[in-house]
Amino acid sequence: MRFISLFVAALISVASALPALHAQSGGSPIITYDSRFHPVLARKGMVVSQDFYASEAGLEVLKLGGNAIDAAVATGFALAVTHPQAGNLGGGGFMMVYLKSEDRVIAIDYREMAPAGASRDMFLDDAGNVDNRRARFSLKASGTPGTVMGLTQALSKYGSLPLATVMGPAIRLADEGFPMSWALQASLSRYQQRLGGDPVTKAQFFKEDGTPYQQGELFRQPELAATLKAIAANGADGFYRGWVADRIVETMQKDGGLITHDDLQNYVVKEREPLRGTYRNFEVVTMPPPSSGGVHVIQMLNVLEGWDMKSLGHNSANYIHRLTESMKYAYADRSKYLGDPDYFDVPVAAITDKAYAANIRGRINLERATPSTEIAPAPKLPYESNDTTHFSTMDAAGNMVANTYTLNFTYGNGRVVAGAGFLLNNEMDDFSAKPGTPNAFGLLGGEANAIEPGKRPLSSMTPTFLFKDGKPYMAAGGPGGSTIITSVFQTILNAMEFDMSVATATARPRIHHQWFPDRLILEPGHSVDTRLRLAEMGHSVSGLASFNEGERVLGATMSIILRPDGLISGMADYRRPGAHAAAY
Ligand code: DON
């Protein structure tokens, strides 16, 4: 009680001092957007990731003279060791690379591919219902991993240091071990039951007696170290051929998995044309399909651009209403039109068309929420002329990387490859196993995202760059399943519309709506008044009945902004524990 009154007294004294400070500063407001949240600032380079050791691994490589791509690859391999919830060798992802010297952006797609033995109805039971256990926790849930090919190819084409050098920190962390972080020990304890179900996985992540490591205890992964060394010595062949490939196929064959040697050898990384949109004086350069994230971020920004968002006030009820309604239309279109562009003709240009956005804007009632049941994917488009992880890097030359990769669920399907020490993904659940039946993230889909051999499941991962007046400005991205798209959207919108620092743009409370379920999720930090006003407007606001229900965070963005004064500013989102911006 005494502490509380002291705290209140302190607040009052600060508040009463404000007018004087205001006068001293020549009339400009003292409390700016930036005054409560501070980014890490640096001159030479920065790595922002979900894990301390991984960010430091990237920094180590920057200090050796590596560029942003070298640092990203080092971070990617290190996360596979220190953040096994989502850092991976057995998953896939997307990497956006900006090469300053060529002023060029490359979008690298290293998403998993459905094995040749996959088929459209493979997750349906005899009654024709989706068997979620098979789609999420069996070896059939694993697509052919893309991460090792993605990281090694990015390095050889755009990096500057040898693979063995860049992988050095990851190998050391696996071989010699590292003191167990609080974040990882808490996560492993939480998932103990699921991970303990498979003896190989249990042996990888728990002590010999089956108990979790405590914070600070040395955690070694010798089998993973051997796999990393094979990759360092032989490049991607060290994973897709040779003994590691043998171990993957053995694991598959033991328990009904589909991945074969042919699938591994046929895995390909695709460099795709980045998707470009504009928002006022910014250019948004982002990941094209099979990510749905970029398409819908641009679509939603196009809708908002026709309104004066700034004057509504950040996160006011009217502001949130416009964001929410735009989200509903975007996720409705996602369910019908988005899939692997190599298998389905995704109408990207139509969905990201400014005139189409104006049409959506015209349908939005500014006073009332439109129920999701009254919103459908556009019947005809205009004619066309828990764990993932993101990291961003930037170097002194102005190169930058935004990389999001994943095993899908936290720890993927929970199955470690025997003898090779890494977890497998359950990305096959990102396909639409049956039209109209939502996947684990509640997302709906159909024909565009049906399972086919060799196809890549639709993703929400949204690594994104902003360019301001033609100059590189921001690298952003984050995890969160279906909420990735909306959390990246709001982080970059904050930076563009309100000129917030990277710290404030990251920290501000977020919202999420994905069309179905028809529910508006508000993070903690929105006022009760705002919640009530939104409910009055007809939104079904999560957390209104019970505040606990609303105590849910949306994403965890790891972003960097290159400020006009030349300083690199970064923010590791505090929404999930353990995140770290390493800089020098
Ligand atoms: O690619 C996707 O959209 C999903 N596999 C991402 C999963 C995810 O973000 C889980 N956790 N936060």
Side-chain angles (χ1 to χ4, degrees):
M1 196 61 200
R2 186 155 166 269
F3 280 119
I4 293 173
S5 47
L6 278 178
F7 181 65
V8 171
L11 270 186
I12 292 169
S13 75
V14 167
S16 56
L18 277 180
L21 284 171
H22 196 266
Q24 279 168 23
S25 71
S28 62
I30 292 293
I31 300 202
T32 67
Y33 279 124
D34 293 348
S35 57
R36 288 179 306 144
F37 307 110
H38 291 281
V40 171
L41 297 173
R43 287 229 170 259
K44 295 191 171 170
M46 185 175 293
V47 179
V48 185
S49 88
Q50 185 58 60
D51 178 74
F52 174 86
Y53 297 110
S55 296
E56 291 291 322
L59 182 64
E60 186 179 325
V61 163
L62 281 175
K63 286 182 176 171
L64 289 174
N67 64 17
I69 296 88
D70 296 311
V73 174
T75 306
F77 278 115
L79 281 165
V81 181
T82 59
H83 186 68
Q85 298 96 312
N88 67 82
L89 304 181
F94 303 131
M95 181 187 283
M96 302 282 298
V97 173
Y98 174 66
L99 295 179
K100 175 72 178 169
S101 61
E102 301 173 31
D103 193 23
R104 179 160 75 100
V105 178
I106 303 117
I108 304 174
D109 167 3
Y110 60 95
R111 183 79 165 158
E112 298 88 336
M113 289 167 67
S119 57
R120 190 184 178 92
D121 296 335
M122 62 187 274
F123 294 129
L124 301 187
D125 63 19
D126 294 343
N129 298 320
V130 179
D131 177 347
N132 284 333
R133 198 205 56 80
R134 206 186 321 153
R136 297 171 191 176
F137 301 111
S138 77
L139 289 173
K140 282 196 174 61
S142 300
T144 309
T147 295
V148 174
M149 189 82 80
L151 296 182
T152 53
Q153 198 163 302
L155 185 78
S156 64
K157 289 182 83 167
Y158 310 111
S160 67
L161 296 175
L163 181 60
T165 307
V166 168
M167 291 185 70
I171 293 172
R172 196 176 65 228
L173 288 161
D175 215 0
E176 296 171 15
F178 60 93
M180 175 66 72
S181 64
W182 180 85
L184 180 55
Q185 73 92 25
S187 170
L188 286 168
S189 300
R190 186 167 164 206
Y191 287 90
Q192 188 171 4
Q193 199 182 356
R194 177 148 83 81
L195 299 175
D198 174 53
V200 179
T201 307
K202 189 174 177 183
Q204 173 86 16
F205 295 115
F206 297 91
K207 294 198 269 193
E208 266 178 40
D209 64 1
T211 58
Y213 289 86
Q214 296 304 304
Q215 182 182 3
E217 282 185 332
L218 192 68
F219 177 46
R220 293 189 61 234
Q221 300 173 87
E223 291 181 344
L224 177 58
T227 298
L228 289 167
K229 286 176 193 168
I231 298 166
N234 303 310
D237 278 355
F239 182 88
Y240 293 91
R241 295 164 192 269
W243 69 263
V244 177
D246 291 343
R247 293 295 93 80
I248 296 172
V249 173
E250 268 165 32
T251 296
M252 290 288 144
Q253 285 173 348
K254 239 182 241 165
D255 203 7
L258 297 181
I259 301 171
T260 62
H261 279 292
D262 277 351
D263 289 318
L264 291 168
Q265 285 167 26
N266 291 336
Y267 183 80
V268 278
V269 165
K270 302 232 166 165
E271 285 197 2
R272 300 190 185 270
E273 195 51 42
L275 192 57
R276 290 169 192 274
T278 58
Y279 186 78
R280 310 204 197 283
N281 59 331
F282 287 87
E283 190 182 18
V284 182
V285 185
T286 182
M287 194 68 206
S291 168
S292 59
V295 171
H296 296 303
V297 161
I298 291 176
Q299 179 185 16
M300 293 186 291
L301 289 172
N302 286 343
V303 174
L304 299 188
E305 200 180 28
W307 290 311
D308 179 357
M309 296 300 293
K310 206 174 201 159
S311 71
L312 295 173
H314 186 259
N315 275 351
S316 67
N318 284 325
Y319 179 92
I320 291 175
H321 175 71
R322 284 163 172 77
L323 262 62
T324 306
E325 298 303 288
S326 312
M327 289 172 185
K328 291 182 194 169
Y329 284 93
Y331 280 80
D333 284 346
R334 184 188 191 280
S335 73
K336 181 165 176 185
Y337 293 112
L338 269 287
D340 182 347
D342 298 335
Y343 286 73
F344 184 87
D345 196 8
V346 183
V348 175
I351 298 177
T352 57
D353 184 62
K354 299 257 187 204
Y356 176 50
N359 174 290
I360 294 176
R361 203 161 47 239
R363 280 184 274 154
I364 292 175
N365 179 335
L366 295 182
E367 309 296 325
R368 295 287 307 164
T370 304
S372 293
T373 45
E374 290 172 23
I375 294 174
K380 199 164 164 290
L381 287 164
Y383 181 67
E384 241 182 289
S385 39
N386 289 330
D387 224 292
T388 295
T389 197
H390 179 88
F391 50 90
S392 299
T393 67
M394 202 176 279
D395 63 27
N399 301 303
M400 53 183 182
V401 170
N403 185 98
T404 316
Y405 73 158
T406 189
L407 292 164
N408 192 25
F409 281 17
T410 307
Y411 303 105
N413 66 352
R415 302 289 290 263
V416 164
V417 173
F422 61 89
L423 281 160
L424 289 161
N425 69 82
N426 60 345
E427 222 74 62
M428 296 291 284
D429 188 63
D430 275 352
F431 279 118
S432 202
K434 182 182 176 185
T437 303
N439 76 358
F441 299 102
L443 291 167
L444 293 164
E447 190 55 40
N449 191 30
I451 306 175
E452 287 179 68
K455 191 174 175 182
R456 294 166 194 244
L458 181 61
S459 174
S460 299
M461 293 185 287
T462 316
T464 297
F465 293 143
L466 297 182
F467 292 81
K468 187 180 187 181
D469 304 321
K471 293 196 200 97
Y473 188 67
M474 185 175 196
S482 57
T483 69
I484 294 173
I485 307 173
T486 50
S487 54
V488 173
F489 165 61
Q490 289 165 86
T491 306
I492 63 173
L493 181 64
N494 290 346
M496 293 190 289
E497 189 68 88
F498 297 93
D499 202 21
M500 290 182 193
S501 75
V502 66
T504 308
T506 303
R508 285 265 155 158
R510 297 197 267 256
I511 66 152
H512 176 72
H513 199 299
Q514 59 181 54
W515 180 47
F516 279 103
D518 190 352
R519 194 181 50 173
L520 171 59
I521 301 171
L522 298 182
E523 278 192 325
H526 293 279
S527 78
V528 174
D529 288 352
T530 306
R531 286 167 186 261
L532 290 172
R533 175 77 193 112
L534 287 162
E536 275 168 17
M537 293 169 93
H539 294 280
S540 161
V541 183
S542 164
L544 254 192
S546 139
F547 277 94
N548 286 335
E549 195 194 319
E551 294 285 314
R552 145 160 202 208
V553 297
L554 297 168
T557 54
M558 303 293 152
S559 309
I560 299 179
I561 283 181
L562 180 58
R563 303 195 329 181
D565 62 5
L567 282 177
I568 300 169
S569 61
M571 177 70 170
D573 201 329
Y574 53 74
R575 282 173 176 79
R576 297 186 184 192
H580 175 60
Y584 79 130

